[in-house]
Amino acid sequence: MSRCLADRAIDHVVLERGEVAHTWRTERWDSLRLLTPNWQSRLPGFGYTGPDPDGYRTLPEVVDFIAAYAQAISAPVRTHTTVTSVSRTETGYLVRTDQGDWSCRTAVIASGAFNIACVPGVADRVPRPVTTFSTQQYRNPDQLPVGGVLVVGASSSGTQIANEIHRSGRPVTLSVGEHIRAPRVYRGKDLEWWMDAAGVLDERYDKVDDIARARQVPSLQLAGTADRSTLDLNALTAIGVKLVGRLAGITESGKAQFGGSLRNMCALSDLKMNRLLTLIDEWAQANGLDGVVEPPHRLPPTEVEEAPPLGLDLANGEIRTIIWATGYRPDYSWLELPVFDRKGMIRHDGGVVSSQGLYLMGVPFARRRKSTLIDGAGDDARDLSDHLASYLHGEVLRTT
Ligand SMILES: Cc1cc2nc3c(=O)[nH]c(=O)nc-3n(C[C@H](O)[C@H](O)[C@H](O)COP(=O)(O)OP(=O)(O)OC[C@H]3O[C@@H](n4cnc5c(N)ncnc54)[C@H](O)[C@@H]3O)c2cc1C
């Protein structure tokens, strides 16, 4: 957004509570690699130029990439400046920070969608000897005591962390709720390549049937590994990870209870994956790629044991750690404006917030399916900075 505002000669400042790329420096586990290939992190006027476009950036590489971009575009960033409140004034907004106040006619909220780990309410009932970590607190298996681990959540973060912990010698049980299975490589090409080429990631918020639902879809079960392997539930059971259903509750005596729909969850996930692969096959055929790339194929169904356990005693010492990989939500505690819906999310139309001159970026499906990806920021920023510039020039505005 800063780059797009500069292109339009709009005077602006970027306020950041930490260093540039703060979340990547402080809120991710050590071994994380981007699940998007190197070529895919395209920012306005800046992209990957190294020798491994199909590789996946390590955490330090992501930090370097974003910091290099801020430098390359001379972004006017004020680091170590925490926004403590934003409120309406007659002419725009008053932004209070721990380093002084700003007034502005327009403001862009780009504070991220993943500020707070969503830990289920039943976490209060976890027996005392069991240590718990959210995905933001987890760094590596050395933090964990020896012994069994329950990982709750089987999307991108949960499957990667379950894999790493199990390989460290701690037996892992993985509690599986709604998730979307995805092959890393399909017909010889990265799944992200297909989704990019076929326009899946460019799908617009005003063209999907149920945008409220689309904004809640969990992340694809993808991982960026050096060998480009698929990390699905079959890969995890193959190394000995035990699957159980969705965590439904924890009794007062410390017994975890799991839903009985694990098989259905997995069948649904297989179905969604196959729907995506069919869409890709149709696009490949229509665009003359049949015969050029590998032929279509399907993955074997997810294997689930006949009667997965419905309970697990958390008090008998077998489980020593629980990892909550149950998603994230944004933190808008500093936003003092009547712009929230019943769930505490900001009401907006493709990033244009109902309060005039206020914009929102980086939240799920803000304008496009890729809106929460690094790669999605550029297109959204171009559109929203156009809108913002028109607003400043007093033009009549449409939301799209
Ligand atoms: C586990 C995980 C893995 C991911 N993997 C990928 C991936 O492989 N590829 C990909 O493209 N994307 C990935 N993402 C998404 C990515 O992290 C970002 O969400 C996305 O790039 C959008 O960036 P952003 O700048 O909008 O948000 P963020 O990167 O969250 O940045 C928001 C910034 O706002 C600052 N901030 C927040 N509140 C305040 C405040 N009150 N005052 C001042 N500053 C504040 C934060 O410190 C932070 O630096 C992943 C996210 C997570 C959680």
Side-chain angles (χ1 to χ4, degrees), residues 144-193:
L144 277 45
V146 174
V149 180
L150 173 64
V151 177
V152 183
S155 288
S156 169
S157 302
T159 47
Q160 290 180 51
I161 291 172
N163 181 46
E164 171 168 275
I165 295 178
H166 195 83
R167 289 179 189 277
S168 78
R170 294 164 180 81
V172 169
T173 302
L174 179 61
S175 168
V176 179
E178 186 191 353
H179 63 281
I180 307 176
R181 187 182 180 197
R184 179 73 266 182
V185 177
Y186 181 61
R187 300 182 67 180
K189 290 191 169 289
D190 198 288
L191 191 76
E192 292 284 342
W193 184 88

Side-chain angles (χ1 to χ4, degrees), residues 8-10 105-106 385-397:
R8 286 158 182 75
I10 295 173
R105 284 187 61 201
T106 66
S385 58
D386 274 347
H387 194 286
L388 188 152
S390 304
Y391 173 74
L392 286 179
H393 297 137
E395 290 166 21
V396 177
L397 297 172

Side-chain angles (χ1 to χ4, degrees), residues 215-261:
R215 284 180 171 149
Q216 287 180 0
V217 167
S219 59
L220 290 184
Q221 235 176 29
L222 282 177
T225 54
D227 63 358
R228 306 178 83 204
S229 56
T230 293
L231 185 62
D232 57 10
L233 298 182
N234 283 354
L236 290 173
T237 43
I239 60 166
V241 171
K242 200 164 177 51
L243 304 185
V244 292
R246 192 170 191 281
L247 180 67
I250 300 176
T251 64
E252 269 180 36
S253 61
K255 190 165 182 197
Q257 298 167 317
F258 303 108
S261 58

Side-chain angles (χ1 to χ4, degrees), residues 15-24 27-29 32-36 41 66 81-84 110-115 156-157 328 331 334 361-363 371-375 377:
L15 304 179
E16 167 56 56
R17 64 185 162 174
E19 295 287 333
V20 170
H22 179 73
T23 50
W24 297 103
E27 294 177 5
R28 310 276 191 264
W29 60 96
L32 181 136
R33 281 173 180 259
L34 286 194
L35 53 80
T36 42
S41 295
I66 296 176
T81 304
T82 300
V83 174
T84 52
S111 50
F114 310 114
N115 308 121
S156 169
S157 302
Y328 309 84
D331 176 10
W334 43 270
M361 290 185 64
V363 297
S371 285
T372 38
L373 295 181
I374 293 169
D375 199 51

Side-chain angles (χ1 to χ4, degrees), residues 9 39 52 54 56-57 71 100 145 158 178 192 205 208 246 250 257 271 278-279 303 316 334 363:
W39 60 263
D52 186 19
D54 295 323
Y56 309 95
R57 282 188 177 82
Q71 203 168 21
E178 186 191 353
E192 292 284 342
Y205 76 105
V208 292
R246 192 170 191 281
I250 300 176
Q257 298 167 317
L271 191 81
T278 301
L279 184 152
E303 282 172 37
N316 69 3
W334 43 270
V363 297

